[in-house]
Amino acid sequence: MLLSNLTPPVTGAVLRLSVDFNSPVDYLIFIFQILFATAAVLLAGPVVISILCTRALRLQNRFIFMLNTSICDTLVGLSVYYLGLFDVQEGFPSRNGTYHVLPSLLGVNIMTFLFAQFDRYFAVCHPFAYTRFVTRGVIISINVYCWFQVYVQLLIQNFLPLSKAVQVYVFGIVSLQVIVLTKVVMTIKLYVIARYQLEKDPPSAERENNKESLRIIIFVVISFLVLWCPSFVNIVLRLIVGRGLVFRNEATNLFAIMARLNAVCTPAVYLWGSPALREATVRTVWGRVCPRCRRR
């Protein structure tokens, strides 16, 4: 009988720390994982709180996408306290893994960024149809679908026999290639719109708002692709070609660390590119934690 992908691990296994502390490098890796996880939570968490607590931001569709990705980034930061501090290996085969539940958070971000790019394209190029048909409920439904699509596929994968689960996993990797190619094309398209089309519009608050939103999504997608693509290429090489780098665990997996660094870069770009979000964060979070921040 074929075993399910949810076959329990061997009993008696001990969950060890990710490093042995036999060299200074081990200490640096362990400290880095703690600092990285904390930085991701402290950057993305306040963005989530600020958007939820500020009605003016919640009413704008682009901030709903920011909220969704920031929730993912916060969870990614929390996941590093497990993936980065303990001896965990995700994949086939896995060791002390989470059945790809935590790594799939990056998949939710990929889907959300793709829909956010289409949202900005239609908002700028087809404003009348966008205002009429793309309501706040539609945007919320799209963001919920990103979670649904990723984790329903993961649920099916985990209940399949291991051989079939690997096939589904490879199919997901191939599908991601199409998504990545679409993201690249949309990034170029949005850059052209921001660079040439918006410059022809008369000065107005709406034009500045569109320029700001386009600038943010372009920077976020570019940084995401730059940090995530090495891990993606390495996974493709290992599964399809049979070559690629193999790491001891997730804490020493340089490519996986680069991919998770998006949990820090993305909220940082949001705060850098949006004065309204920056002001809301100071008012709702950091202003209460540190009164001096509010006065500044």
Side-chain angles (χ1 to χ4, degrees), residues 109-121:
N109 265 347
I110 292 174
M111 296 289 294
T112 306
F113 288 143
L114 180 63
F115 283 115
Q117 287 181 296
F118 282 112
D119 172 79
R120 289 299 88 200
Y121 172 77

Side-chain angles (χ1 to χ4, degrees), residues 23-280:
S23 67
V25 176
D26 291 344
Y27 287 92
L28 291 177
I29 292 174
F30 199 79
I31 294 173
F32 169 79
Q33 297 293 343
I34 295 176
L35 295 178
F36 166 54
T38 305
V41 172
L42 292 181
L43 272 174
V47 172
V48 173
I49 297 172
S50 301
I51 296 176
L52 289 175
C53 295
T54 308
R55 186 173 182 272
L57 300 183
R58 294 198 310 271
L59 294 178
Q60 299 183 50
N61 291 342
R62 63 191 182 101
F63 284 104
I64 300 299
F65 288 106
M66 290 186 188
L67 174 63
N68 198 35
T69 57
S70 297
I71 291 174
C72 286
D73 292 334
T74 304
L75 294 176
V76 168
L78 292 173
S79 73
V80 175
Y81 286 114
Y82 177 69
L83 297 176
L85 301 185
F86 296 95
D87 184 30
V88 179
Q89 181 67 57
E90 296 280 4
F92 299 100
S94 66
R95 183 176 65 255
N96 301 321
T98 63
Y99 303 108
H100 297 93
V101 171
L102 297 182
S104 294
L105 290 169
L106 290 176
V108 178
N109 265 347
I110 292 174
M111 296 289 294
T112 306
F113 288 143
L114 180 63
F115 283 115
Q117 287 181 296
F118 282 112
D119 172 79
R120 289 299 88 200
Y121 172 77
F122 286 109
V124 175
C125 296
H126 307 282
F128 297 107
Y130 180 86
T131 304
R132 182 177 179 181
F133 296 106
V134 185
T135 62
R136 187 163 171 263
V138 171
I139 297 300
I140 294 176
S141 300
I142 290 174
N143 283 273
V144 172
Y145 168 77
C146 294
W147 290 85
F148 179 82
Q149 194 273 337
V150 170
Y151 281 100
V152 166
Q153 178 179 334
L154 180 63
L155 184 65
I156 295 173
Q157 172 184 306
N158 283 334
F159 278 99
L160 288 174
L162 185 59
S163 59
K164 297 295 183 182
V166 173
Q167 294 178 6
V168 173
Y169 185 72
V170 172
F171 172 77
I173 295 297
V174 174
S175 302
L176 282 178
Q177 294 183 22
V178 179
I179 294 177
V180 169
L181 180 61
T182 306
K183 289 167 69 69
V184 172
V185 173
M186 287 301 300
T187 301
I188 297 173
K189 182 68 175 178
L190 291 176
Y191 173 78
V192 172
I193 294 172
R195 183 66 178 85
Y196 299 103
Q197 182 172 329
L198 287 180
E199 293 298 331
K200 299 177 182 179
D201 295 340
S204 64
E206 182 180 359
R207 190 188 78 162
E208 295 304 318
N209 187 54
N210 287 332
K211 288 180 63 176
E212 175 190 308
S213 62
L214 288 176
R215 182 171 61 247
I216 290 175
I217 192 63
I218 289 172
F219 272 97
V220 164
V221 170
I222 290 176
S223 65
F224 187 90
L225 291 176
V226 168
L227 292 172
W228 179 75
C229 276
S231 177
F232 175 72
V233 172
N234 190 55
I235 291 174
V236 171
L237 290 176
R238 289 176 57 189
L239 292 179
I240 299 179
V241 183
R243 298 182 178 181
L245 297 178
V246 179
F247 298 89
R248 183 175 60 185
N249 51 36
E250 295 295 318
T252 58
N253 189 336
L254 177 61
F255 296 144
I257 293 172
M258 290 178 61
R260 288 193 288 267
L261 275 176
N262 282 290
V264 174
C265 295
T266 300
V269 172
Y270 289 162
L271 293 171
W272 163 77
S274 176
L277 178 61
R278 201 161 54 239
E279 180 183 350

